[in-house]
Amino acid sequence: MTLAFKHRISNFSAGPSTLPTSVLEKAKHELLNYQDSGMSIMEVSHRTKLFEDVLEHATNQIKKLMELSDDMEVLFMQGGARYQFAVTPLNFLDDQSSADIVHTGAWTKLAIQEISQFCSPRIVASSEDRNFSYLPKIDLSNFDPNAKYVHYCSNNTIYGTQWKNFQFLKNIPVVVDMSSDILSRKLDFNQFDLIYAGAQKNLGPSGITLVVIKKEFADKGRSDIPKYFQYRSHIENQSMFNTPPTFAIYLLGLVTDWIQEQGGLESIEKRNTEKSNLLYNFIDKSSLYTNSISNEDRSQMNVVFRLDSGNEDLEQDFVKQAHQNELFGLKGHRSAGGIRASIYNAQSLEAVKNLVSFMSEFERTH
Ligand SMILES: *Cc1c(COP(=O)(O)O)cnc(C)c1O
């Protein structure tokens, strides 16, 4: 980075991404001496009461915010969402069984790759024909009533699409990768059997993955694989099968406190709708910026757009000038190109307004 800033700027990175300033300040304040223990929370054993309280608090906050029923287990795991791509098929598939996939982008492609280590996954719906620029129609008659599970990605971080409703066969477990929109809206989370999310987009720092799994589904997992890979081991050991990422869990707990202070998921969703509408409405009115995703498929988390129908030189200039104007992280994913503004929970309405002002000024001068 060549620019220097003496204060926090607006960060639109896709992940790791911006965190609430108040959370970072609290962590900073408590860093050297956590709750008068004379130590950092980073420095104490995960078997201390001090840390056990942190873990319990984070777990309870997740249960409360997601309104989880008692048969849903909350786990903090490591290895990111990509570890889940691998470990889900490992637990539930063998060469006699298969899984269904709703294929909506680069992340489902990677999930497909891992499932393919066991069987040929059935693609029950796909938007690959138009480079994932829409969400495919779901026809339940394509679904396999004998599948071990169906895999969805709730928000397609790279292509800027997001499912509002999920359709699936009753009695077939549903696995959802919610890495980029977890806790961003109210949903019936109990309708799913396995939800996972790398924390670095909406929940905290990287290095920790939130996993919510229905106990009954976890029990169906194979027991002839190494214990570390079995969900049940992590349930039995309450996320402490091995030393958990203690500081990351502590930070995630602070982020859930912040969500609660904002008024919970309902208020968070309202804010997210307001932020994304502001940006989409501006883009739709502009003659320089375009987003061709239909309204109902658009993501509230990742707003993707092109300049001048994909003028790469101009887009490069846009990203550079935006950074000079304290707007960082707007370059689109390398596989999709263009511009992407990630406006997760912690992104302020103020920052989105600043982005729109900048875009307006950029359009005026180009
Ligand atoms: C970022 C992202 C991932 C990858 O997460 P890791 O934690 O890096 O493995 C997977 N799925 C989605 C939808 C993502 O946005």
Side-chain angles (χ1 to χ4, degrees), residues 48 56 81 122 145 151 191 210 212 215-216 245 249 294 296 337:
T48 54
E56 190 181 297
R122 292 164 39 98
H151 175 103
Q191 68 183 312
L210 171 67
V212 175
K215 183 92 183 4
E216 190 190 313
I249 292 173
S294 65
E296 63 276 15

Side-chain angles (χ1 to χ4, degrees), residues 14-15 79-83 85 107-108 153-158 177-180 196-201 207-209 302 344:
R82 292 201 66 173
Y83 175 73
F85 290 170
W107 293 118
T108 54
C153 179
S154 57
N155 181 72
N156 297 285
T157 326
I158 295 174
D177 173 8
M178 283 196 197
S179 293
S180 53
Y196 52 78
Q200 65 272 20
K201 281 141 192 170
I208 179 177
T209 313
N302 309 96
Y344 301 120

